[in-house]
Amino acid sequence: VVQADDVVWPGVAAPAARRLLDVALESFATVGFHASTTRNIAARAGLSPAAVYTHFASKDELLQTISRIGHEAALASFEDALGAGTTPEQRIGNAVRAFTTWHAENQMLARVIQYELEALPGDGQREIRALRSVFETKLRAEIAAGVRSGDFVADDLEGVARAIFSVCVDVARWYSPRRAAVDVVANLHSDLAIRMIKAPSIP
Amino acid sequence: VVQADDVVWPGVAAPAARRLLDVALESFATVGFHASTTRNIAARAGLSPAAVYTHFASKDELLQTISRIGHEAALASFEDALGAGTTPEQRIGNAVRAFTTWHAENQMLARVIQYELEALPGDGQREIRALRSVFETKLRAEIAAGVRSGDFVADDLEGVARAIFSVCVDVARWYSPRRAAVDVVANLHSDLAIRMIKAPSIP
């Protein structure tokens, strides 16, 4: 059973709209976008189906709003952590720690943004894919900087960056507080990411 | 868009039952278990809803059958690959290569077994979780053997085994032949898994 998130919805002022996002998030995360209905989301938010449309034009727009806010929140935590380190190893270690933590602490939001991408309509999906490419570009650039400074070794930058993301993203699938404490997992993933790319030390 | 799989359904003889499993697999992988209906699955398999029940008691049983066959197939490929190596490094390298390949080449089946676990009813979920624990136990035992022989270093066996699985399992989410060739990804993951656990060489 996935934990309920306590998501802040930046830029969404109306309490009814925030309630709709809470309910839609839970529904998309537990039964999936395609099995969620506007009628049901409205009822659980204490609104009539017609009242939904004063806030969101469609079920697609609910998913789009959740995806946009989710990606922006994940990206902010990733970038803040990168910036908090000085050496390549600190920067990547921090970013992996933050990204793992984000996926454990925002498990519903993480599942929806990672697993429901293909449910977004064409234009909306392009908007979100552009946000996603920012993560990949940043991580690749950080690894490349560490390769230039001699700290890291990586032949396939794209593949290695993807594998590091996989370790973090998959937390949304398996994590439960009964299995491990978030900080233990976050520190382990940080160490493992560095092991994937660290240059052998010269004796 | 997920590739269609070409799954062999061992132990399922009736052509209509095999057709139902093909259609149910595609439906569960694309819109999810909760948005799939027996009526729709029957129609796309060219059967009446009543005809479904001569083969499967319910939509749950379709998911249970797909999950069981999927986990058994993944486990067989994982175990065969482990057995094909002699050194700890070869054995784990082979297993990661095979598990990554399995998740890329059986993407629909992989998504259903990895993402729809919570949709299984209690007893069925227990059966599948028992199968899943075999993977974890085997990988942990292999890593532990390599630690004893001095080939590997791992303080948190459970956490490291989980991270290695994450790199393989997450392939079901992101893989597309347009992004990379299966063997390139499989070889990279095999190298990265070994980097996660390899003991530092003594100069």
Side-chain angles (χ1 to χ4, degrees):
Chain A
V1 182
V2 190
Q3 303 173 87
D5 293 349
D6 190 11
V7 182
V8 178
W9 301 109
V12 183
R18 299 169 68 86
R19 217 155 60 230
L20 283 166
L21 289 170
D22 285 337
V23 172
L25 172 61
E26 200 197 330
S27 181
F28 297 165
T30 50
V31 299
F33 175 77
H34 296 286
S36 300
T37 64
T38 309
R39 174 180 298 272
N40 213 294
I41 291 167
R44 288 169 53 205
L47 296 172
S48 70
V52 175
Y53 300 109
T54 64
H55 300 286
F56 299 96
S58 61
K59 194 175 75 158
D60 284 354
E61 201 187 309
L62 279 162
L63 179 60
Q64 190 74 27
T65 305
I66 291 170
S67 294
R68 184 187 303 121
I69 291 175
H71 279 89
E72 284 167 352
L75 187 57
S77 98
F78 183 75
E79 288 181 327
D80 288 353
L82 263 184
T86 47
T87 66
E89 193 169 321
Q90 278 175 351
R91 290 171 64 86
I92 292 196
N94 285 347
V96 168
R97 202 176 287 114
F99 210 46
T100 293
T101 304
W102 193 88
H103 280 80
E105 291 185 346
N106 299 277
Q107 199 168 10
M108 284 190 174
L109 191 52
R111 285 194 182 187
V112 172
I113 73 170
Q114 301 296 358
Y115 301 155
E116 296 290 3
L117 193 59
E118 287 157 15
L120 289 168
D123 281 352
Q125 199 173 130
R126 269 187 291 279
E127 181 205 335
I128 300 299
R129 289 199 187 269
L131 269 173
R132 293 174 76 85
S133 75
V134 178
F135 287 92
E136 287 162 25
T137 306
K138 294 220 174 231
L139 184 57
R140 281 204 298 265
E142 289 290 331
I143 299 172
V147 169
R148 282 193 303 274
S149 65
D151 292 280
F152 299 150
V153 175
D155 295 326
D156 177 354
L157 272 185
E158 195 178 325
V160 172
R162 208 148 42 201
I164 291 175
F165 278 133
S166 284
V167 173
C168 304
V169 165
D170 199 47
V171 166
R173 180 183 60 82
W174 69 260
Y175 186 74
S176 147
R178 284 175 291 110
R179 300 185 80 173
V182 177
D183 63 326
V184 171
V185 179
N187 286 329
L188 173 69
H189 287 184
S190 171
D191 291 348
L192 294 176
I194 298 301
R195 293 187 70 122
M196 288 192 218
I197 49 180
K198 201 172 166 67
S201 56
I202 298 150
Chain B
V1 181
V2 190
Q3 303 172 87
D5 293 349
D6 189 13
V7 182
V8 177
W9 301 110
V12 183
R18 299 170 67 86
R19 217 154 61 228
L20 283 166
L21 289 170
D22 285 336
V23 171
L25 171 61
E26 200 197 332
S27 182
F28 297 165
T30 50
V31 300
F33 175 77
H34 296 286
S36 300
T37 63
T38 309
R39 173 181 299 272
N40 213 294
I41 291 167
R44 287 170 53 205
L47 296 172
S48 70
V52 174
Y53 300 109
T54 63
H55 300 285
F56 300 97
S58 62
K59 192 175 74 158
D60 284 356
E61 201 187 309
L62 277 162
L63 180 60
Q64 190 73 29
T65 305
I66 290 170
S67 294
R68 183 187 305 119
I69 290 175
H71 278 88
E72 285 169 350
L75 188 57
S77 98
F78 183 75
E79 288 181 325
D80 288 353
L82 263 184
T86 45
T87 67
E89 195 170 318
Q90 278 174 352
R91 288 170 66 86
I92 293 197
N94 285 348
V96 168
R97 201 174 288 115
F99 211 45
T100 292
T101 303
W102 192 88
H103 280 79
E105 291 184 345
N106 299 277
Q107 199 168 11
M108 285 191 174
L109 191 53
R111 286 193 180 188
V112 172
I113 74 171
Q114 302 295 358
Y115 301 155
E116 297 290 2
L117 193 58
E118 287 158 14
L120 290 168
D123 281 352
Q125 199 172 129
R126 269 187 291 280
E127 180 205 336
I128 299 298
R129 288 197 188 272
L131 268 173
R132 293 175 76 85
S133 75
V134 178
F135 287 92
E136 287 162 25
T137 306
K138 295 222 170 227
L139 183 58
R140 282 204 297 267
E142 288 290 332
I143 299 173
V147 170
R148 283 193 303 274
S149 65
D151 293 280
F152 300 149
V153 175
D155 295 327
D156 177 353
L157 270 186
E158 194 177 324
V160 172
R162 206 149 43 201
I164 291 175
F165 279 134
S166 284
V167 173
C168 304
V169 166
D170 198 45
V171 166
R173 181 184 60 83
W174 68 261
Y175 186 73
S176 146
R178 284 176 291 109
R179 299 185 79 174
V182 177
D183 63 326
V184 170
V185 179
N187 286 329
L188 174 69
H189 288 182
S190 170
D191 291 347
L192 294 175
I194 298 302
R195 293 188 70 124
M196 289 193 219
I197 49 179
K198 200 171 166 69
S201 56
I202 297 150

